[in-house]
Amino acid sequence: MLKNDEKRLLEYTPIGMNLDKNVGWGTLLFTNSRACNLSCDGCWTSTTNESIKQQLKFGADWMYNNSYGLNVLESILGKFKKENGKLVAFMSDGEPFVNSNYEFTFNLAESCGKQKLPLLLFSNGIYLDNKKLEEINKATNNRISYCISIQTGVKESYGNFMLIDKEDNPTGERIFETLEEKFKLWKEYDKRTFEKTGKHAIAIHT
């Protein structure tokens, strides 16, 4: 039977996997470009447009398109697995689910699935819908946990948010409504995972 503190653990995290007692935690951290669908109050991503343009120009497809005669991403993860690596984390100043970053996000998830390595993925949640959940779950063989970053969870604070893509819900009001629509989806997904594993699949933090 799980203790109360164990019931609050996110499944695939250093603490959820009891890696926090190990040197280095057995965790490999990946990042993507700083391209994002939001310009959040206090975030420096929106002030580094030139850096973002350079990152997108060079891209990351060389890691998985076999241009070097091998899949570099799978090679890195294979080596990590052989060295007793336990967890891959994906966290950056950008958003992994925007179009410019999603190809790498999916390839990382798929490579983790092939190596049987769990993935911890950080997102602002705007584009984390049922389709994306299913795609990433399938790619990782259900070895995935999500950390969703919300500025405060208070509706008024979303007035500080501005979508770069003006065609998609350009106001703070619409952003909050979009997230509200997804809360039920995330809750049901988390409930199903908890019933199977005794640990959570999605955590929301501010």
Side-chain angles (χ1 to χ4, degrees):
M1 185 173 179
L2 292 172
K3 299 177 183 177
N4 286 334
D5 56 346
E6 291 176 326
K7 291 180 180 179
R8 301 182 64 184
L9 295 178
L10 194 59
E11 184 174 14
Y12 295 119
T13 61
I15 295 177
M17 296 173 66
N18 295 314
L19 302 179
D20 53 317
K21 300 176 179 62
N22 301 333
V23 176
W25 289 9
T27 304
L28 181 61
L29 178 64
F30 279 87
T31 185
N32 53 223
S33 80
R34 291 175 180 166
C36 189
N37 56 313
L38 299 179
S39 181
C40 300
D41 186 36
C43 180
W44 70 328
T45 293
S46 59
T47 67
T48 56
N49 289 332
E50 285 304 313
S51 174
I52 293 172
K53 288 178 182 178
Q54 290 180 6
Q55 290 173 341
L56 295 178
K57 179 181 178 181
F58 291 104
D61 56 344
W62 60 271
M63 295 190 72
Y64 47 81
N65 67 6
N66 293 307
S67 59
Y68 287 90
L70 77 163
N71 187 310
V72 177
L73 187 57
E74 288 187 9
S75 179
I76 291 171
L77 293 177
K79 174 69 172 175
F80 178 63
K81 179 78 172 181
K82 288 179 181 178
E83 296 293 334
N84 204 31
K86 301 296 184 183
L87 172 68
V88 176
F90 190 29
M91 179 181 184
S92 77
D93 299 323
E95 167 55 36
F97 290 112
V98 297
N99 288 337
S100 53
N101 289 331
Y102 186 62
E103 184 177 331
F104 177 75
T105 302
F106 182 80
N107 275 274
L108 177 61
E110 201 168 44
S111 294
C112 286
K114 290 178 180 177
Q115 296 295 337
K116 298 182 179 179
L117 285 165
L119 177 64
L120 172 62
L121 194 153
F122 292 77
S123 167
N124 60 40
I126 298 295
Y127 296 147
L128 185 56
D129 55 16
N130 193 56
K131 180 181 177 183
K132 288 293 192 298
L133 282 171
E134 289 183 359
E135 287 178 351
I136 298 299
N137 289 357
K138 184 177 180 180
T140 60
N141 293 318
N142 296 310
R143 295 184 179 90
I144 175 74
S145 288
Y146 299 90
C147 278
I148 300 174
S149 178
I150 297 177
Q151 193 174 31
T152 65
V154 177
K155 189 173 185 178
E156 287 71 22
S157 75
Y158 285 80
N160 293 325
F161 285 23
M162 183 182 296
L163 285 174
I164 290 174
D165 184 354
K166 298 298 183 182
E167 295 179 0
D168 272 342
N169 303 328
T171 67
E173 182 82 13
R174 287 297 300 146
I175 293 171
F176 191 81
E177 289 176 5
T178 297
L179 287 174
E180 278 191 317
E181 291 170 3
K182 291 187 172 67
F183 288 155
K184 183 178 180 181
L185 168 67
W186 297 341
K187 189 173 182 179
E188 290 175 352
Y189 172 80
D190 188 58
K191 182 180 179 181
R192 290 196 303 270
T193 303
F194 188 81
E195 288 172 349
K196 291 179 181 177
T197 68
K199 294 181 182 178
H200 295 279
I202 295 181
I204 295 177
H205 62 97
T206 60

